[in-house]
Amino acid sequence: MALVVTTGVAVPPDVEVLAVPVAKGADGPELLGDGHGLDPGELAARRFEGKVGETLDTAGSDRTTVMAVGVGDAAEVSLDVLRRSAAALVRAAWKRGSAATTLLDAVPPDVDRAEAARAVAEGAGLAAYRFTRYKSDPDPCRLAGLTLVGADDGAVAAALDRSAEVVSAVYLARDLVNEPAGSLSPRELAARAAEIAERVGLAIEVIDEAGAEALGLGGLLGVARGSDEPPRLIKLTYDPAGADRTVALVGKGITFDSGGLSIKTAEGMMTMKTDMSGGAAVIAAMSALPALGPPVRVVGFVPATENMPGGRAIKPGDVLTTRSGTTVEVLNTDAEGRLVLADGLALAVEEEPDAIIDLATLTGACIVALGPKIAGLMGNDDELVDRVRSAAERVGEPAWPLPLPKEYRKQLDSEVADLKNIGGRHAGALTAGLFLQEFVGSVPWVHLDIAGPSRSDDDDGAVVKGATGAGVRTLLELLAGDPGFPTLPDGNTTFS
Ligand code: BES
Ligand code: ZN
Ligand code: ZN
């Protein structure tokens, strides 16, 4: 049960915890707004400095614990700081029933209050997640309600409604990604997508092996050959009345990546149930569209399969013919994501979209380049890359642009086919991006390599250990938070 965040003009009388922002001033902790009895001297004596994410419980009144929440330098309180402070307060109030916070008192005049409320609600809501399905003795967040104390002309309440949708979508992605591969086969992923589509009102089409054969999805079918589980191609459509533009989303849906015959090490395989994180992000983000209601048609494709080394598995040297007719020599069966994405991207192009965004846990090389917390961002359209980057930054899902150098394209030349699926030892994230680029034609396209941020080894602000739901917030920010996205070919960025 997700934490419900609401607004309130005053602190509810029976609240168990009241979290009050405290800045880190030059001379010690500084109260921001009404301190509700907090004493900076006492805080300092108890070694509380006011650093971002620091919390300290104080006695407060009979019923209410007053918690100091650090927000760092008062002049530097940003959306990211608010998300982190809110996440910290939820972790510190994990076992309490109800909480209120005056964190909005910490918002500097140059930061929009509604955006600030969203950051607090999303930081709090996302930190309250835990995957408990298989725990005999789960320790879920008990906090059921958080009141954001402060004046509201309606904009804050509207922002909170939107945050609730975003948070539920991220929960959905995390649940899908955390689910073990043994219980989340491609068929099960498709069944869950169908349940979700039915519940929220999206159109869904699930293409089975025979359908994939008929469509010529040689990449997807090739990867699936080594597995006893049949593949699925999931297509979701959100088609609101009056939409004058289309965005296509494509998410890598490898429900388990053993590497295939180019098998991974035991260590390398341990986290590979998460190799459908891109697909989960597409399904989850789309699940929120009917509620958020952006006037854009969105079509999502999730090519889903296991990558296994069974007796019929593709062998290094085999050639696959993908949906677009492009042939690929598979020299490493562990570079399977790009094979299924080749089909997904080709199908996306057929929708004649104004933009394509793909999300994939595509390369270990991207983690080497950017570390585990930053997504790689590549594309064939600088304006679109910029838009995705700034949307990602606004919601606190960092993504960093990487180039698609033309001079590296020849590394994908094959002796026997149109392309080979590996591009050599260096710049693996870029050659993977260059491979995908072959399938998008002239459609403005962005690729997010989320191999790093799709999972986390620690609780960190809005991110929790395990599946993070990476990409969901960025997609929703773009689709429902940026009225100029996507730009039409005539450069028109306003909705009609
Ligand atoms: N799913 C992996 C990428 C990955 C690695 C994601 C680590 C998350 C954590 C992908 O299918 C893969 O194995 N890629 C290979 C490509 C190589 C063979 C060209 C890789 O990155 O090593
Ligand atoms: Zn792989
Ligand atoms: Zn993979």
Side-chain angles (χ1 to χ4, degrees):
M1 191 59 222
L3 167 67
V4 178
V5 186
T6 49
T7 54
V9 276
V11 179
D14 51 352
V15 77
E16 286 181 42
V17 178
L18 171 62
V20 174
V22 180
K24 186 174 186 300
D27 304 316
E30 262 171 27
L31 303 180
L32 296 176
D34 181 345
H36 292 274
L38 282 183
D39 169 8
E42 183 202 334
L43 295 177
R46 293 177 63 190
R47 307 246 158 106
F48 180 91
E49 296 174 55
K51 288 185 295 201
V52 179
E54 208 181 345
T55 61
L56 184 72
D57 282 357
T58 68
S61 69
D62 312 344
R63 267 178 300 196
T64 308
T65 302
V66 178
M67 179 196 287
V69 182
V71 295
D73 184 337
E76 309 262 302
V77 175
S78 60
L79 298 181
D80 195 52
V81 166
L82 292 166
R83 264 188 297 269
R84 286 180 183 282
S85 309
L89 95 78
V90 163
R91 291 193 176 103
W94 194 258
K95 290 185 190 297
R96 315 306 268 298
S98 61
T101 181
T102 56
L103 262 175
L104 290 182
D105 288 350
V107 178
D110 59 325
V111 175
D112 181 81
R113 260 177 83 81
E115 289 297 308
R118 268 188 64 193
V120 172
E122 291 174 22
L126 293 172
Y129 175 87
R130 190 163 285 181
F131 185 65
T132 54
R133 186 167 188 181
Y134 298 101
K135 287 277 197 191
S136 309
D137 187 14
D139 177 24
C141 181
R142 302 249 165 83
L143 202 55
L146 174 67
T147 307
L148 280 194
V149 180
D152 178 24
D153 58 4
V156 169
L160 295 185
D161 286 346
R162 183 162 162 204
S163 295
E165 297 298 334
V166 172
V167 168
S168 323
V170 176
Y171 273 41
L172 189 67
R174 290 178 179 175
D175 282 347
L176 289 171
V177 176
N178 279 324
E179 190 66 44
S183 50
L184 196 87
S185 62
R187 282 180 298 172
E188 178 62 17
L189 181 61
R192 293 213 193 175
E195 267 167 39
I196 294 161
E198 165 101 21
R199 175 163 57 79
V200 303
L202 293 170
I204 183 163
E205 203 181 325
V206 176
I207 290 153
D208 64 9
E209 259 178 312
E213 207 68 72
L215 286 171
L217 307 184
L220 178 64
L221 289 165
V223 174
R225 284 181 53 146
S227 172
D228 288 344
E229 285 289 344
R232 290 289 183 265
L233 184 281
I234 304 163
K235 178 183 181 188
L236 289 164
T237 308
Y238 165 71
D239 194 3
D244 63 352
R245 62 196 76 193
T246 298
V247 176
L249 306 178
V250 182
K252 172 175 171 180
I254 301 295
T255 59
F256 187 73
D257 183 9
S258 72
L261 285 176
S262 313
I263 199 159
K264 289 184 182 293
T265 59
E267 165 108 34
M269 226 183 275
M270 275 196 293
T271 57
M272 283 301 130
K273 70 172 184 184
T274 66
D275 211 20
M276 34 58 76
S277 298
V282 168
I283 295 167
M286 288 192 70
S287 77
L289 293 177
L292 295 175
V296 187
R297 179 170 173 266
V298 183
V299 189
F301 293 95
V302 181
T305 176
E306 292 185 335
N307 184 25
M308 296 289 282
R312 282 171 34 79
I314 41 169
K315 304 163 186 76
D318 281 354
V319 174
L320 302 175
T321 303
T322 63
R323 168 74 184 165
S324 66
T326 302
T327 57
V328 182
E329 182 187 14
V330 180
L331 289 174
N332 188 318
T333 63
D334 197 12
E336 84 299 336
R338 63 196 77 183
L339 301 173
V340 306
L341 289 172
D343 287 337
L345 290 169
L347 290 169
V349 169
E350 291 169 35
E351 300 287 326
E352 300 183 358
D354 299 290
I356 299 177
I357 301 174
D358 82 68
L359 300 96
T361 46
L362 203 61
T363 65
C366 198
I367 310 178
V368 173
L370 297 174
K373 292 183 190 278
I374 301 174
L377 173 57
M378 285 151 261
N380 60 2
D381 182 295
D382 289 346
E383 206 231 286
L384 185 60
V385 168
D386 265 6
R387 274 190 189 279
V388 176
R389 183 178 166 197
S390 73
E393 193 174 305
R394 286 198 298 279
V395 297
E397 290 195 311
W400 203 256
L402 296 173
L404 289 173
K406 282 196 184 61
E407 54 275 42
Y408 293 176
R409 166 61 185 80
K410 58 179 175 296
Q411 289 174 219
L412 298 170
D413 287 343
S414 158
E415 281 170 35
V416 298
D418 300 332
L419 290 171
K420 60 184 183 189
N421 78 329
I422 48 172
R425 229 156 63 84
H426 303 299
L430 316 190
T431 52
L434 284 165
F435 182 96
L436 299 182
Q437 187 170 16
E438 295 293 310
F439 298 89
V440 298
S442 58
V443 180
W445 153 79
V446 155
H447 159 57
L448 278 164
D449 191 332
I450 56 169
S454 62
R455 54 175 299 283
S456 175
D457 287 328
D458 53 5
D459 289 344
D460 180 19
V463 158
V464 295
K465 208 170 151 117
T468 60
V472 174
R473 285 185 282 151
T474 299
L475 286 178
L476 291 176
E477 180 66 12
L478 264 176
L479 293 167
D482 177 353
F485 173 81
T487 312
L488 293 174
D490 63 5
N492 183 3
T493 58
T494 50
F495 289 118
S496 54

